[in-house]
PDB file of all heavy atoms in Angstrom:
ATOM      1  N   ASP A 175     177.805 130.379  -0.874  1.00 87.00           N
ATOM      2  CA  ASP A 175     178.904 130.934  -0.090  1.00 87.00           C
ATOM      3  C   ASP A 175     178.888 130.492   1.366  1.00 87.00           C
ATOM      4  O   ASP A 175     179.933 130.278   1.978  1.00 87.00           O
ATOM      5  CB  ASP A 175     178.868 132.472  -0.162  1.00 87.00           C
ATOM      6  CG  ASP A 175     177.507 133.019   0.238  1.00 87.00           C
ATOM      7  OD1 ASP A 175     176.536 132.231   0.321  1.00 87.00           O
ATOM      8  OD2 ASP A 175     177.416 134.242   0.457  1.00 87.00           O
ATOM      9  N   SER A 176     177.683 130.318   1.952  1.00 89.00           N
ATOM     10  CA  SER A 176     177.601 129.988   3.378  1.00 89.00           C
ATOM     11  C   SER A 176     176.971 128.631   3.665  1.00 89.00           C
ATOM     12  O   SER A 176     176.899 128.211   4.815  1.00 89.00           O
ATOM     13  CB  SER A 176     176.782 131.059   4.101  1.00 89.00           C
ATOM     14  OG  SER A 176     175.447 131.070   3.604  1.00 89.00           O
ATOM     15  N   PHE A 177     176.485 127.968   2.620  1.00 93.00           N
ATOM     16  CA  PHE A 177     175.808 126.666   2.756  1.00 93.00           C
ATOM     17  C   PHE A 177     174.539 126.774   3.609  1.00 93.00           C
ATOM     18  O   PHE A 177     174.088 125.798   4.202  1.00 93.00           O
ATOM     19  CB  PHE A 177     176.753 125.607   3.335  1.00 93.00           C
ATOM     20  CG  PHE A 177     177.906 125.299   2.437  1.00 93.00           C
ATOM     21  CD1 PHE A 177     179.138 125.915   2.643  1.00 93.00           C
ATOM     22  CD2 PHE A 177     177.770 124.417   1.381  1.00 93.00           C
ATOM     23  CE1 PHE A 177     180.205 125.652   1.809  1.00 93.00           C
ATOM     24  CE2 PHE A 177     178.848 124.140   0.539  1.00 93.00           C
ATOM     25  CZ  PHE A 177     180.071 124.760   0.751  1.00 93.00           C
ATOM     26  N   GLY A 178     173.985 127.971   3.662  1.00 94.00           N
ATOM     27  CA  GLY A 178     172.709 128.140   4.352  1.00 94.00           C
ATOM     28  C   GLY A 178     171.564 127.616   3.509  1.00 94.00           C
ATOM     29  O   GLY A 178     171.641 127.532   2.275  1.00 94.00           O
ATOM     30  N   LEU A 179     170.467 127.262   4.187  1.00 96.00           N
ATOM     31  CA  LEU A 179     169.274 126.771   3.502  1.00 96.00           C
ATOM     32  C   LEU A 179     168.361 127.963   3.245  1.00 96.00           C
ATOM     33  O   LEU A 179     167.941 128.650   4.180  1.00 96.00           O
ATOM     34  CB  LEU A 179     168.562 125.724   4.364  1.00 96.00           C
ATOM     35  CG  LEU A 179     167.363 125.006   3.737  1.00 96.00           C
ATOM     36  CD1 LEU A 179     167.797 124.188   2.517  1.00 96.00           C
ATOM     37  CD2 LEU A 179     166.689 124.102   4.765  1.00 96.00           C
ATOM     38  N   SER A 180     168.085 128.213   1.982  1.00 96.00           N
ATOM     39  CA  SER A 180     167.339 129.411   1.595  1.00 96.00           C
ATOM     40  C   SER A 180     165.920 129.046   1.182  1.00 96.00           C
ATOM     41  O   SER A 180     165.701 128.091   0.430  1.00 96.00           O
ATOM     42  CB  SER A 180     168.051 130.116   0.441  1.00 96.00           C
ATOM     43  OG  SER A 180     167.303 131.232  -0.008  1.00 96.00           O
ATOM     44  N   PHE A 181     164.948 129.851   1.686  1.00 96.00           N
ATOM     45  CA  PHE A 181     163.539 129.702   1.313  1.00 96.00           C
ATOM     46  C   PHE A 181     163.112 130.970   0.575  1.00 96.00           C
ATOM     47  O   PHE A 181     163.287 132.073   1.085  1.00 96.00           O
ATOM     48  CB  PHE A 181     162.662 129.531   2.557  1.00 96.00           C
ATOM     49  CG  PHE A 181     162.987 128.314   3.373  1.00 96.00           C
ATOM     50  CD1 PHE A 181     163.942 128.378   4.380  1.00 96.00           C
ATOM     51  CD2 PHE A 181     162.347 127.106   3.131  1.00 96.00           C
ATOM     52  CE1 PHE A 181     164.246 127.262   5.145  1.00 96.00           C
ATOM     53  CE2 PHE A 181     162.644 125.986   3.899  1.00 96.00           C
ATOM     54  CZ  PHE A 181     163.594 126.064   4.902  1.00 96.00           C
ATOM     55  N   HIS A 182     162.547 130.792  -0.611  1.00 94.00           N
ATOM     56  CA  HIS A 182     162.161 131.964  -1.393  1.00 94.00           C
ATOM     57  C   HIS A 182     160.844 131.684  -2.138  1.00 94.00           C
ATOM     58  O   HIS A 182     160.876 131.273  -3.286  1.00 94.00           O
ATOM     59  CB  HIS A 182     163.283 132.363  -2.359  1.00 94.00           C
ATOM     60  CG  HIS A 182     163.997 131.212  -3.012  1.00 94.00           C
ATOM     61  ND1 HIS A 182     163.553 130.629  -4.182  1.00 94.00           N
ATOM     62  CD2 HIS A 182     165.104 130.537  -2.622  1.00 94.00           C
ATOM     63  CE1 HIS A 182     164.374 129.641  -4.525  1.00 94.00           C
ATOM     64  NE2 HIS A 182     165.316 129.555  -3.601  1.00 94.00           N
ATOM     65  N   PRO A 183     159.719 131.977  -1.451  1.00 96.00           N
ATOM     66  CA  PRO A 183     159.620 132.494  -0.078  1.00 96.00           C
ATOM     67  C   PRO A 183     159.402 131.361   0.920  1.00 96.00           C
ATOM     68  O   PRO A 183     159.162 130.211   0.541  1.00 96.00           O
ATOM     69  CB  PRO A 183     158.375 133.380  -0.153  1.00 96.00           C
ATOM     70  CG  PRO A 183     157.479 132.629  -1.110  1.00 96.00           C
ATOM     71  CD  PRO A 183     158.392 132.014  -2.137  1.00 96.00           C
ATOM     72  N   ALA A 184     159.416 131.738   2.204  1.00 96.00           N
ATOM     73  CA  ALA A 184     159.086 130.783   3.260  1.00 96.00           C
ATOM     74  C   ALA A 184     157.570 130.679   3.388  1.00 96.00           C
ATOM     75  O   ALA A 184     156.855 131.664   3.269  1.00 96.00           O
ATOM     76  CB  ALA A 184     159.692 131.228   4.585  1.00 96.00           C
ATOM     77  N   LEU A 185     157.103 129.460   3.635  1.00 95.00           N
ATOM     78  CA  LEU A 185     155.674 129.221   3.829  1.00 95.00           C
ATOM     79  C   LEU A 185     155.436 128.639   5.213  1.00 95.00           C
ATOM     80  O   LEU A 185     156.363 128.132   5.865  1.00 95.00           O
ATOM     81  CB  LEU A 185     155.142 128.257   2.764  1.00 95.00           C
ATOM     82  CG  LEU A 185     155.341 128.658   1.299  1.00 95.00           C
ATOM     83  CD1 LEU A 185     154.781 127.593   0.374  1.00 95.00           C
ATOM     84  CD2 LEU A 185     154.703 130.012   1.019  1.00 95.00           C
ATOM     85  N   ALA A 186     154.185 128.694   5.652  1.00 95.00           N
ATOM     86  CA  ALA A 186     153.848 128.165   6.975  1.00 95.00           C
ATOM     87  C   ALA A 186     154.223 126.696   7.098  1.00 95.00           C
ATOM     88  O   ALA A 186     154.628 126.232   8.176  1.00 95.00           O
ATOM     89  CB  ALA A 186     152.358 128.361   7.248  1.00 95.00           C
TER      90      ALA A 186
END
Side-chain angles (χ1 to χ4, degrees):
D175 54 347
S176 63
F177 296 97
L179 186 63
S180 176
F181 299 89
H182 39 87
L185 303 179

